[in-house]
Amino acid sequence: MDYKLILVFVEDEKADRVLDAARSAGATGATVIPNAVGQGKARQFGLFGLEVLSPRQILLMLVEQPRASAVLDAVCKAGGLDESVDTGIVLELDVSRAVGLTEHIKELLKEHPLK
């Protein structure tokens, strides 16, 4: 089976909604990296000259290739992710090899057979 790694960089308050949508679209789960911060093109400073960094979460989902497009579309819709500035970023990468997913995939296929 071929897999895709979907990485989602999203604001904290959108993470649960994005994860629920991904599961509904066929993702078996995700690894969540909380409290990630980043900088855009220009640094932003707030009160007392302190830099303002919006906390984000990074969601990593390993998805079977036939389900990847549906999961990515669901994630974008749920998180309001598009080409606008500051909405978040979604990446899809090819995975050349994955180990440890056989039982997860069997359970998923029982619940959501591939069409």
Side-chain angles (χ1 to χ4, degrees):
M1 180 70 67
D2 291 327
Y3 295 94
K4 300 285 186 177
L5 177 63
I6 298 175
L7 294 97
V8 185
F9 301 81
V10 68
E11 294 173 349
D12 283 350
E13 63 269 7
K14 295 180 181 179
D16 287 336
R17 184 171 59 236
V18 167
L19 286 169
D20 289 342
R23 282 190 197 98
S24 294
T28 58
T31 297
V32 178
I33 302 172
N35 301 317
V37 293
Q39 294 181 357
K41 183 178 177 185
R43 295 171 72 179
Q44 295 180 341
F45 295 94
L47 193 61
F48 304 117
L50 299 174
E51 187 170 9
V52 177
L53 298 171
S54 300
R56 296 189 181 269
Q57 293 193 28
I58 302 172
L59 314 174
L60 296 96
M61 295 173 261
L62 194 57
V63 180
E64 294 171 286
Q65 186 276 327
R67 299 177 194 274
S69 184
V71 170
L72 193 138
D73 291 344
V75 161
C76 289
K77 184 175 180 182
L81 307 172
D82 58 25
E83 296 299 326
S84 304
V85 175
D86 294 330
T87 62
I89 298 172
V90 181
L91 306 173
E92 180 183 285
L93 304 173
D94 290 330
V95 175
S96 61
R97 188 172 175 202
V99 177
L101 296 168
T102 304
E103 295 303 316
H104 292 281
I105 300 305
K106 285 180 187 176
E107 290 300 314
L108 179 63
L109 286 171
K110 288 179 191 174
E111 297 172 21
H112 305 283
L114 290 172
K115 297 174 184 169

